[in-house]
Amino acid sequence: MTAQAQEVVIELGSDEIALNETFSIKVTIANDRIRSYDEFPDILGFTKQGITQSSSMNVINGQVSSTNSIIQYYKPTRKGEFTLSRFSVKINGSDYSSPGKTIKVIDPRPAQRQSSVFDAFDNLFGGGAGTREEPEFIEIEDDAFFASSVDKSEVFVGEGVNISLAFYMSETNQAPFQFYEPGRQLDEILKKLKPTNAWEENFNITNIQPERVTFNGKNWTKYKVYEATFFPFSPGEVSIPPIAWEMIKYRVARNPSFFGSNRLEDFKTFYSSAKSIKVKPLPPHPLRDEISVGIFQLRENISQLDVETGQGFTYNFSVTGEGNINSVSPPKTRQIHKLNTYDPNVRQQINRGMGKVTGIKEFSYYLTINEPGEVALGNHFEWIYFNPVLAKYDTLRPKAVINVTGESKVNQAISNQRLGGIYDLIPIESNKLLYERYKYYFSISINILLLASVILLAFLIVKKR
């Protein structure tokens, strides 16, 4: 039974097997090699027995084609009918699915002599079934390692530090490796790796791609599995613990043969060394607990520089650069009597790449000016930040100057404002004295209160006697 998607075929084993036989799931990819794969599904009533890989090449009329296969074996634990549900397996970063099947496990079958095909070859080369030996597999010494890297050994509070995890193989490495469940391993690693006192910007690596690098005078192939930038919240230390990374490392047959597998799956765990990043406090400043840290510039955009009094226009104050864009707050505003400012609309874009977090955060304001003349927006807006490269505070101020023409509309602006309270009642209330309007009701109320007082006093006197 097969399920095919593009160049990948999934083959399932027989519907009926004996207790002393194995069931298999085989994935074959044409004209490409299997660079990575995730764990095969579990089957109730079976235990996994191991994985083998094989490859073949055909030349027909000068056209070369090749196939690469990976096979997962399962051993039944008891008799009965078992269901392999629909499943998918990730090969080279893509998911391929199979509808599954029902597997019947029966009593053990008696051992059978090997097929006549193998007998013919054994006889041809002077051997027999009794002389066939299992291949001897040996481990090849590898030239590879796993490492964590940081781009800075110390940072200020709020300054970004880039952290990455990668597997390295030298170009002269002869040992065959394969990635083993990288997604599951990363989930476990990140539980230990992520600091609680820092904001994380994850670069979200979805495909492990080879990258050629050179250091110590040697060429290496780098496979980056994780990258992020951390922005510490408080002074102290960010610690990166030693990280364990497991790889599939194959043992190879000492004497390769034409038939059967010439390599055996094994595992090797690599360990990265611990890292520590010192986090320094920011220099004293009244706003040091509120400001952003990074390398920033101001990008301003205004709909028009010449306006009339009372006419609304749009002004965009955009902070762009390298740093924690999420933490960028709106600019401080200073009140100017003739300038009205409303709460801004906010838009942001974050870019992660080349080991840096960059982006832009835009604050879009709607403004009106009620007095004619020139208005410098730099007197109204300012954004203070800390530059970690220069180790000092800096301020971004607008350069736009608005030319305002027309008559003063300050009084009109005041009259348009809703004062609320008793002022809202002025146009609808009568201008007669309240005493005249409520005289009758007031007199009745006073008389009732006096009568009640007399009755109460009389009751107290009688009760006392």
Side-chain angles (χ1 to χ4, degrees):
M1 187 174 185
T2 66
Q4 185 170 356
Q6 296 182 358
E7 297 288 335
V8 174
V9 175
I10 300 178
E11 299 179 49
L12 305 182
S14 176
D15 296 346
E16 182 179 282
I17 64 171
L19 265 174
N20 57 345
E21 295 174 342
T22 57
F23 179 79
S24 65
I25 298 178
K26 180 180 180 181
V27 179
T28 302
I29 183 169
N31 300 316
D32 197 2
R33 64 186 183 90
I34 298 178
R35 298 182 296 275
S36 64
Y37 63 90
D38 277 353
E39 188 174 5
F40 282 76
D42 294 323
I43 307 176
L44 181 65
F46 291 77
T47 59
K48 291 180 179 177
Q49 288 294 293
I51 292 178
T52 62
Q53 287 194 359
S54 62
S55 61
S56 64
M57 182 179 65
N58 296 311
V59 180
I60 302 176
N61 296 328
Q63 297 295 319
V64 180
S65 62
S66 64
T67 60
N68 285 269
S69 300
I70 181 169
I71 307 172
Q72 173 71 66
Y73 292 99
Y74 298 83
K75 182 175 178 58
T77 59
R78 62 183 185 275
K79 294 191 302 180
E81 282 196 354
F82 305 94
T83 300
L84 170 58
S85 303
R86 182 180 182 85
F87 68 92
S88 64
V89 61
K90 189 182 292 293
I91 303 293
N92 294 346
S94 299
D95 289 315
Y96 300 92
S97 62
S98 169
K101 70 186 314 180
T102 299
I103 310 162
K104 184 177 181 180
V105 180
I106 60 176
D107 289 322
R109 291 192 177 102
Q112 296 180 355
R113 194 174 183 272
Q114 294 185 1
S115 68
S116 59
V117 176
F118 285 98
D119 290 343
F121 275 94
D122 288 337
N123 293 331
L124 178 63
F125 292 101
T131 61
R132 179 176 298 277
E133 296 181 356
E134 291 295 327
E136 179 188 358
F137 294 97
I138 60 173
E139 182 177 356
I140 299 177
E141 186 176 353
D142 58 73
D143 191 7
F145 65 95
F146 184 72
S148 60
S149 303
V150 297
D151 64 341
K152 301 167 188 172
S153 59
E154 63 177 27
V155 294
F156 286 99
V157 170
E159 180 184 0
V161 54
N162 184 265
I163 297 172
S164 64
L165 302 174
F167 180 72
Y168 297 81
M169 283 195 305
S170 74
E171 291 189 349
T172 58
N173 175 71
Q174 297 296 318
F177 282 104
Q178 192 70 265
F179 282 94
Y180 174 65
E181 301 181 5
R184 180 191 61 79
Q185 290 196 73
L186 272 178
D187 287 342
E188 295 298 322
I189 288 172
L190 295 185
K191 293 176 183 178
K192 300 186 299 181
L193 179 64
K194 289 181 180 178
T196 57
N197 63 334
W199 174 270
E200 180 202 27
E201 285 290 346
N202 195 321
F203 284 47
N204 295 319
I205 296 176
T206 55
N207 291 314
I208 301 175
Q209 299 292 338
E211 176 188 353
R212 190 174 184 271
V213 296
T214 301
F215 54 86
N216 295 332
K218 196 171 182 178
N219 294 328
W220 300 80
T221 302
K222 177 182 178 181
Y223 298 91
K224 189 183 295 182
V225 298
Y226 171 79
E227 183 177 12
T229 295
F230 292 153
F231 297 92
F233 297 139
S234 56
E237 189 175 82
V238 173
S239 298
I240 309 299
I243 303 296
W245 184 259
E246 192 172 24
M247 295 288 292
I248 298 174
K249 181 182 179 182
Y250 293 96
R251 294 174 179 266
V252 300
R254 183 184 296 275
N255 299 308
S257 63
F258 182 75
F259 297 102
S261 175
N262 286 316
R263 61 180 185 175
L264 179 67
E265 183 181 275
D266 200 355
F267 295 91
K268 181 173 181 178
T269 302
F270 296 84
Y271 296 90
S272 68
S273 58
K275 295 284 193 301
S276 179
I277 302 99
K278 180 183 177 182
V279 183
K280 303 178 292 184
L282 295 179
H285 190 279
L287 301 175
R288 73 173 181 177
D289 295 330
E290 304 175 21
I291 64 174
S292 295
V293 178
I295 304 172
F296 298 106
Q297 302 84 37
L298 171 62
R299 182 187 299 175
E300 53 182 330
N301 185 29
I302 191 167
S303 59
Q304 54 197 110
L305 292 173
D306 297 305
V307 299
E308 294 185 359
T309 52
Q311 177 185 354
F313 61 97
T314 302
Y315 173 69
N316 294 333
F317 187 106
S318 302
V319 177
T320 179
E322 179 186 348
N324 187 0
I325 304 299
N326 274 295
S327 71
V328 172
S329 56
K332 300 290 183 183
T333 56
R334 288 184 289 175
Q335 294 301 322
I336 299 178
H337 177 62
K338 54 186 177 181
L339 176 66
N340 296 323
T341 306
Y342 302 90
D343 291 337
N345 295 321
V346 182
R347 180 185 67 88
Q348 75 176 23
Q349 177 182 333
I350 300 176
N351 307 311
R352 307 171 189 88
M354 306 299 290
K356 297 179 179 180
V357 176
T358 59
I360 183 172
K361 197 158 190 176
E362 179 183 270
F363 303 94
S364 182
Y365 290 90
Y366 183 78
L367 308 177
T368 58
I369 301 177
N370 300 317
E371 287 279 1
E374 286 190 347
V375 176
L377 295 184
N379 295 329
H380 183 69
F381 297 96
E382 67 177 17
W383 191 77
I384 303 172
Y385 71 102
F386 182 78
N387 187 323
V389 175
L390 302 178
K392 69 176 186 179
Y393 294 92
D394 203 349
T395 304
L396 300 180
R397 290 189 177 88
K399 296 181 179 179
V401 177
I402 313 301
N403 182 32
V404 187
T405 57
E407 297 179 354
S408 173
K409 296 191 176 183
V410 173
N411 293 333
Q412 178 180 341
I414 295 175
S415 66
N416 287 337
Q417 293 179 2
R418 182 172 180 264
L419 298 177
I422 63 174
Y423 296 97
D424 290 340
L425 301 176
I426 293 176
I428 62 174
E429 287 295 316
S430 171
N431 58 0
K432 293 183 179 181
L433 293 175
L434 291 176
Y435 177 79
E436 293 292 334
R437 184 173 179 179
Y438 297 111
K439 180 178 179 180
Y440 174 75
Y441 301 105
F442 182 76
S443 298
I444 292 177
S445 300
I446 293 298
N447 290 333
I448 291 173
L449 288 173
L450 289 174
L451 179 61
S453 300
V454 171
I455 294 172
L456 178 62
L457 181 61
F459 173 77
L460 293 174
I461 294 173
V462 172
K463 185 177 180 180
K464 185 175 181 181
R465 289 180 179 179

